[in-house]
Structures are given as C-alpha cells and as structure tokens.
Amino acid sequence: MDWMAWTWPTAIFFAVIATLLITFTVLAIKFPETPRTGILRIETTRGDRLFITLLGSAFINLAWLGIVGAHQPYALIVCLAYAVTVFRWV
Amino acid sequence: MEKTVNQKAWFLVLPVLLLVAFSAVIPLMTVVNYSVQDTFGNNQFFWAGLEWFEEMLRSERMWDALGRQLMFSGIILAIEIPLGIFVALNMPKSGFWSSFCLVLMSLPLLIPWNVVGTIWQIFGRVDIGLLGYTLDALGINYNYTQDILAAWVTIIVMDVWHWTSLVALLAFAGLKSIPDAYYQAAKIDQASRWKVFRFIELPKMMGVLMIAILLRFMDSFMIYTEPFVVTGGGPGNATTLLSIDLVKMALGQFDLGPAAAFSIMYFLVILLISWVFYTVMTNLDKREG
Amino acid sequence: MADMTVNQTASRGLSLPKINSRAVVMTLYLLFLLLPIYWLLNMSLKTNTEILNEFTLWPRDLTFANYATILTDPAWYMGYVNSLIYVSLNTVISLAVALPAAYAFSRYHFMGDKHLFFWLLTNRMAPPAVFALPFFQLYSSVGLFDTHIAVALAHCLFNVPLAVWILEGFMRGVPKEIDETAYIDGYSFGAFFVKIFTPLIASGIGVAAFFCFMFSWVELLLSRTLTTVDAKPIAAIMTRTQGASGIDWGVLAAAGILTIVPGALVIYFVRNYIAKGFALGRV
C-alpha cells in the first residue's frame, strides 16, 4: 500500500464519499426511490441527484480554485447551495 | 421487457464489480493521492495541498492542449458525421454488395491504432508515400513534420479515414430499420429525395446518430496513439492533444503531482460526457420500449 | 397489387442513373479506405532499395524477404505471440465475468443497478492515458510488471464494460418466458445458463468476444507501459524499427500488414453485428 501514498485528507475525502454512498443505499432500502422529472426534463432518482451533486461540486471547486484562488472552504458553501438546488428541483 | 426485482442478482454482478474495482478504483484513488503531494522520487511524498490543481488551472500548456483537443474533436465530428450519413445513404441495402461494402468498410476499424499511425506516416511522406509524393509532384508544398497546417490536415484525414465507417455503419443500421411502407407512402406522395431524407430517414436515424456523435466525441477526446505515431505531437506542440500531453508529463517527465491533477480534471470532463451519453441512451431505450 | 408492380417498374426505370451515382460514391469511398492499406501492402513486398530509390506503384522486384525476417526472428515473432497471449487471456476473463453480470442486468432490477451500469460505462470511456501511470505503479508493486496477465487485467478496464453492454443488448432480445419455462421444468440456474441460455445467445457471445479481442489487440499505450521485455506486444516492437541505418521500411510495413490479418480474417463473421458492437449493443 506504500506506493498509493495515502494521506489523511484524501483518506477522509474517500471516507466521506463512501459514507454518502452507504447512507443513500440505506435510505433507498428504507424509503424506496420513486423517479421524478425535474427541470432538466429527465427522470432522476435520489441516487442520480447525488451523482449530479457530486460531479457538479467537483466542477464548482475547480472553478473556485481557478477564478478566486483563495479561501477554498468557501467553495463548499456554494456546493451546498448547489446541492440543495439539485435535490429540490432537478 | 418487464424486469423482476431480485436482490440476489447482485451475486451475478459481484465478479465484475471486484475486477473493475481492482483495475479502476484503486488506480483512481492513487491518482487522487498523488495529486495533492509532491515527490522527489524514492517514494518520498510531501504534502502539497491544491498547489498542483492551481498550477494546472493557470498553466497555458493545459489550456492550449484543451483548445487543440476541442478543435480536433470539433473538426472531425463536422466531417465524419455528414460524410458517414452520406455514405450510409449510398450503401447497397441488401445482397452481396451490401456485405461486400460492410466488410471492406470495417477494415480500418480493426487495424491496431499504432499501425493506423504508421500507415499514414508512410502514406504522407514526400519521398516514399503515395499521398505525399503525389502532392509534391503537383507542386503543393506538403511536409507534415515541419508545416503545422500539413500536420493537422494529416491527422484529421487519418481520423476521417479511420472512423467515418463507424458513423456510416451505425447510420446504415438505423436506415435498415425503416419499414419499406414508409418509402412507398413517400413515393405515392411524390416526395422529393430531400424530403424523404428530412422527414423519414433522419428522424429514424436520430437515435443511432446520437450514439455515433457521442462515441466519436469521446474516443476522439482521448485519442493518443495515432497522432502520436504520425507527428509525435509536433511540429513544436502544434498537435499535442490532451492525452499526448498527459503521457508526456506522467511517463516522460514523471511529474506525478501535476500529471495526477491533470488526470483528475480530464477524468471529470469524461465523467460529465459519459453521463450525458448514458442519459441519452436510457431515454432512447425507454422510447423504444 | 397491380398498382405496386407498375410503381416498381416505373421506379426502377427512373432510378437507373441513381444506382450509378450510388456506385460511384461507394467506389470512391472504398478507394479512399483501401488506398493507404494497399500502399502498406505494396511496400511490404518491396526491397528497401526499391522503396527508397524508385517510386513504383506496384513492386517491380517482388520479395517476401520482409515477411521472412519477421517470421524467423524471435525478437519479432515473439511480439505476436505475446500480443496473442494477453489478448486471449483478456477475452476469456472479460467474457467469464461479463456473462453472469449481463444476465443480471438484462433480467432483474436490483439495488443500484442503473448506477452500476453507468459506472461500467465510465470505465469504457476512461482515457488510458489517465490510467497508464497508476497501472504502472500498481502492477509494479504487486510484482506483475512485464507479465501477460498484467496487460490482460489492465485491458479489462474497458473490455469488461464493453462485454457487459454488448451481451446485455443481445440478452434483452431473448424472451423471458424461456427462462421461466426452464425453471418450471426443474433446471437449476447453472444448468439452464449453460445448456439453454448460452446456445441462444451464441452469436452475442461471439460478437462480444470479437470486440474484446479487437480492442485489446489495437490498444498500445497501456500494453506498452506495462511491459519491457517478456510480454512486449508487437505494436510496441514496431515502434522501434529504427536501426543504425535508418528505418527498415519494408519490415515495418510487413509487420503492419501482419497485425491487420487477424481482424481481417474474422470480420466476415461479424459483419452484421459490427455496428451493434461498436455502439455497445445499443443499435
């Protein structure tokens, strides 16, 4: 495992993603998903919205880094707003 | 087809899951780890934070490569899609000649990519290649190792040669699914050739064409071997596309950090396009029932 | 009925010039496709002196020496053997894991099935350039560097998803009633799958195998990165024909022609499915 060069931040990052996936799986078991059609005019389930959120957040973070270039944690606030939007309307 | 809910199906998928996790997830995690660290060889790593991402986002090298990449993908799509449709419309619909065309057209698709490069490297040479020699004899100055325009023309013609058949084959598959009755009806209405194409053939081909466009875009977006063999990314950096640049950075200079940051951004773009592709596909499947 | 015959003869009369223009288009297109390949073949049958000193449209001085060089020198022909070994390994592994998975996707709904299917697709779309470096590190660390199995496993990255998608496309065409009848008749899942289901999708398996074979055969970047000597593929050997006296064009061309042969030999059998294969089973 040495060659993979683990660090704490990246380990936490993957742990968070894994936790999210497990949480959504548990949610899907307890409250079965019903697809709905949102503003993108495609059917999405809760899992799809999670994916759109995560992928979008990655791009938001990159954009923040490229354009603002400082105070990276603030980008997470934008991501949160984005997440709410996606889960509410997409 | 109605599918039944069966959670035990997971066991059938498990081998794929394990195998692909081994060959996709572990490497991707490694890339993420490398992207936030600096190394001086020897497997000694130092924390670098988001430095590499910032450097990559601000480096002209990456944006230039991305620009060239988008230009390349745009040009080949603009040529291959119409040309592929045109060829498909002219293909014999059935019988011996249909098979004959299918087989010959598939040939370029099955040639190893570096051989495709070699073929065009030779074909375009002024001294020993048919194309280069002919152009030279006609008095056209053509030298793909020194002239930027010639290099671009060569790799684009090569890609058109390599992949137009794929678009044509997909379009042809779409055309074949149109029942004869449609054409009969059009004939009774005395519809012009253009109208038949616009209102019967094109709508029926739309599904496969979407697949063709997305596939061609994806594959051209990660093209490496063919242009690398022909031009090596030159002259200068004129034909250094994204993958060529990435390989140069990762395996040539062994700059793990920047290369990893580059890889992640590259992969995110791919992920986005894949998602579009998948959404289009599933909607198509649904429409067909 | 009478109307139709009249219509047909009329149209045949009218479309005579059209048939000709179609033939012209196809001839031109096929000529464009075949000319570069012909040129490679032409060069592979010439001597280097003829290639470099005269410009000839067909070999004046027909020679098979270039092919003889490749087929007698182990440094050359072992490249083909290496390629064939890892390509075959990869095809077998891909199909073995993809068959049950494709069955599951085509027949059942289960937790996360769509996400899993999508995730597989992203691996088909992943650029090998991104994976070259981590693969190099991964296979070095587990001691598989420069082995056939390393390349075979690495190619699974895009071939397993491809096989799953293609097979799923074929399996959807098999009515579900067949499964149900077999289960009622007392077949176990294993027996049903091997004895009844596999023969039904034999063409699908053939096509999937062909595409796994092909995509593993044409790939260069990963196979070159993961090998140095023992498992070096022909494609990588070809990139080093540059000797002290310049490039040996004749041998290079002959090596190229020999890599086209396997694909050209089986293409006839998959001609009707080739579009389906390239479109990941979705045509």
Side-chain angles (χ1 to χ4, degrees):
Chain A
M1 295 293 267
D2 248 8
W3 63 276
M4 282 180 80
W6 281 101
T7 62
W8 278 110
T10 49
I12 292 167
F13 171 73
F14 283 117
V16 169
I17 302 249
T19 319
L20 272 176
L21 288 180
I22 294 168
T23 316
F24 272 77
T25 313
V26 173
L27 275 178
I29 294 170
K30 291 232 161 126
F31 313 98
E33 305 179 272
T34 36
R36 65 148 199 249
T37 310
I39 47 165
L40 286 178
R41 292 197 294 147
I42 49 167
E43 267 191 6
T44 54
T45 61
R46 219 177 295 133
D48 296 329
R49 274 168 255 148
L50 175 68
F51 174 76
I52 298 171
T53 305
L54 287 178
L55 188 61
S57 302
F59 280 106
I60 290 173
N61 268 297
L62 281 179
W64 186 281
L65 186 67
I67 298 164
V68 183
H71 311 298
Q72 197 60 30
Y74 288 107
L76 292 177
I77 297 174
V78 182
C79 292
L80 212 61
Y82 171 71
V84 172
T85 321
V86 168
F87 274 90
R88 180 69 187 81
W89 284 294
V90 171
Chain B
M1 185 189 302
E2 269 308 299
K3 294 184 191 176
T4 41
V5 177
N6 181 354
Q7 302 299 345
K8 275 189 219 142
W10 259 102
F11 289 108
L12 297 174
V13 188
L14 209 59
V16 164
L17 199 67
L18 292 177
L19 186 65
V20 182
F22 177 72
S23 55
V25 176
I26 293 180
L28 273 181
M29 283 180 159
T30 314
V31 170
V32 172
N33 287 341
Y34 286 165
S35 71
V36 293
Q37 296 180 82
D38 197 359
T39 175
F40 303 108
N42 249 350
N43 274 350
Q44 294 266 331
F45 288 93
F46 302 92
W47 177 251
L50 294 174
E51 198 183 305
W52 299 128
F53 285 95
E54 224 175 327
E55 190 183 308
M56 278 295 115
L57 281 171
R58 298 193 195 297
S59 90
E60 271 180 30
R61 177 177 168 180
M62 195 191 85
W63 289 109
D64 286 352
L66 181 66
R68 284 189 288 263
Q69 184 67 62
L70 289 174
M71 187 158 99
F72 177 75
S73 296
I75 293 175
I76 63 119
L77 278 181
I79 299 175
E80 286 174 16
I81 301 295
L83 184 62
I85 297 174
F86 180 65
V87 170
L89 288 173
N90 282 294
M91 266 176 79
K93 285 252 158 41
S94 57
F96 168 77
W97 288 109
S98 180
S99 300
F100 180 81
C101 289
L102 277 175
V103 169
L104 284 188
M105 280 165 62
S106 314
L107 206 52
L109 302 170
L110 309 176
I111 299 177
W113 296 340
N114 70 310
V115 177
V116 171
T118 308
I119 287 176
W120 281 89
Q121 186 195 21
I122 292 172
F123 200 57
R125 278 179 72 108
V126 180
D127 51 350
I128 59 170
L130 185 60
L131 178 70
Y133 188 88
T134 316
L135 287 178
D136 199 50
L138 291 173
I140 299 168
N141 189 16
Y142 171 84
N143 185 338
Y144 65 82
T145 53
Q146 270 150 40
D147 182 32
I148 292 176
L149 184 68
W152 268 85
V153 169
T154 312
I155 61 170
I156 283 167
V157 172
M158 173 175 71
D159 203 78
V160 169
W161 176 83
H162 193 180
W163 290 112
T164 301
S165 292
L166 172 63
V167 181
L169 290 174
L170 288 176
F172 182 65
L175 279 178
K176 269 181 80 166
S177 69
I178 302 174
D180 250 358
Y182 282 54
Y183 292 108
Q184 306 267 339
K187 213 167 272 165
I188 291 167
D189 289 348
Q190 297 195 312
S192 66
R193 184 73 195 84
W194 165 251
K195 284 216 164 118
V196 171
F197 175 70
R198 175 67 190 77
F199 295 105
I200 298 179
E201 290 170 335
L202 195 61
K204 276 277 171 187
M205 273 197 294
M206 237 21 234
V208 274
L209 276 183
M210 274 315 283
I211 296 179
I213 291 171
L214 285 164
L215 271 180
R216 278 317 300 135
F217 183 75
M218 294 297 289
D219 286 344
S220 68
F221 204 73
M222 55 198 201
I223 191 169
Y224 169 80
T225 313
E226 303 93 312
F228 180 76
V229 171
V230 174
T231 64
N237 274 330
T239 55
T240 303
L241 304 173
L242 279 179
S243 274
I244 297 178
D245 207 15
L246 178 55
V247 172
K248 235 184 238 174
M249 207 184 288
L251 297 168
Q253 303 155 356
F254 229 69
D255 285 337
L256 296 191
F262 189 159
S263 296
I264 290 172
M265 292 187 243
Y266 196 175
F267 195 70
L268 283 174
V269 174
I270 295 279
L271 213 53
L272 181 67
I273 309 167
S274 297
W275 182 73
V276 172
F277 184 96
Y278 183 71
T279 311
V280 169
M281 280 243 190
T282 42
N283 283 351
L284 276 178
D285 285 355
K286 226 172 270 164
R287 215 186 308 153
E288 280 163 18
Chain C
M1 222 33 227
D3 248 23
M4 258 178 71
T5 23
V6 171
N7 228 329
Q8 264 172 5
T9 34
S11 74
R12 199 175 296 151
L14 275 177
S15 60
L16 246 179
K18 198 179 272 171
I19 288 173
N20 278 338
S21 76
R22 277 172 167 234
V24 170
V25 169
M26 286 318 288
T27 313
L28 282 178
Y29 181 65
L30 290 179
L31 211 60
F32 166 62
L33 292 187
L34 294 182
L35 215 52
I37 301 178
Y38 167 74
W39 197 250
L40 193 71
L41 181 69
N42 175 21
M43 263 177 67
S44 74
L45 297 170
K46 290 178 185 176
T47 58
N48 270 323
T49 3
E50 186 179 342
I51 292 171
L52 292 172
N53 299 329
E54 299 164 71
F55 190 83
T56 48
L57 291 177
W58 59 88
R60 296 281 148 79
D61 192 7
L62 194 68
T63 170
F64 289 98
N66 297 320
Y67 289 96
T69 310
I70 290 171
L71 296 175
T72 52
D73 181 359
W76 271 106
Y77 70 72
M78 277 318 284
Y80 288 97
V81 176
N82 288 334
S83 290
L84 282 174
I85 292 174
Y86 72 69
V87 166
S88 314
L89 269 175
N90 170 270
T91 308
V92 171
I93 298 173
S94 302
L95 284 183
V97 298
L99 270 169
Y103 182 78
F105 282 120
S106 74
R107 291 293 191 262
Y108 302 119
H109 268 308
F110 48 95
M111 188 68 63
D113 51 354
K114 283 187 194 136
H115 301 287
L116 204 59
F117 208 51
F118 168 68
W119 177 59
L120 285 177
L121 175 78
T122 63
N123 289 311
R124 156 64 179 78
M125 301 299 190
V130 167
F131 285 88
L133 177 67
F135 272 162
F136 175 77
Q137 304 276 49
L138 170 64
Y139 288 111
S140 303
S141 77
V142 293
L144 284 177
F145 183 71
D146 201 18
T147 57
H148 300 105
I149 190 76
V151 185
L153 284 175
H155 284 177
C156 280
L157 174 71
F158 46 82
N159 270 351
V160 168
L162 183 78
V164 172
W165 275 67
I166 294 179
L167 287 171
E168 200 265 349
F170 275 92
M171 286 179 186
R172 269 196 305 182
V174 179
K176 213 177 165 181
E177 286 69 39
I178 292 178
D179 308 30
E180 281 151 9
T181 324
Y183 293 137
I184 293 168
D185 288 352
Y187 278 93
S188 68
F189 174 72
F192 156 73
F193 201 88
V194 175
K195 284 197 192 135
I196 299 178
F197 198 66
T198 311
L200 281 177
I201 51 151
S203 58
I205 297 177
V207 172
F210 172 79
F211 274 90
C212 288
F213 189 93
M214 188 203 106
F215 275 107
S216 182
W217 181 257
V218 298
E219 206 278 339
L220 171 74
L221 179 56
L222 291 178
S223 56
R224 192 188 61 188
T225 309
L226 293 176
T227 55
T228 46
V229 186
D230 294 337
K232 200 162 147 192
I234 180 63
I237 292 174
M238 270 184 69
T239 54
R240 295 184 191 169
T241 36
Q242 217 145 356
S245 55
I247 299 175
D248 193 342
W249 292 109
V251 174
L252 181 68
I257 289 294
L258 286 178
T259 62
I260 302 178
V261 171
L265 282 181
V266 279
I267 198 170
Y268 181 78
F269 299 103
V270 291
R271 67 189 182 286
N272 290 322
Y273 299 107
I274 207 152
K276 188 165 189 161
F278 274 107
L280 303 158
R282 286 296 176 287
V283 167

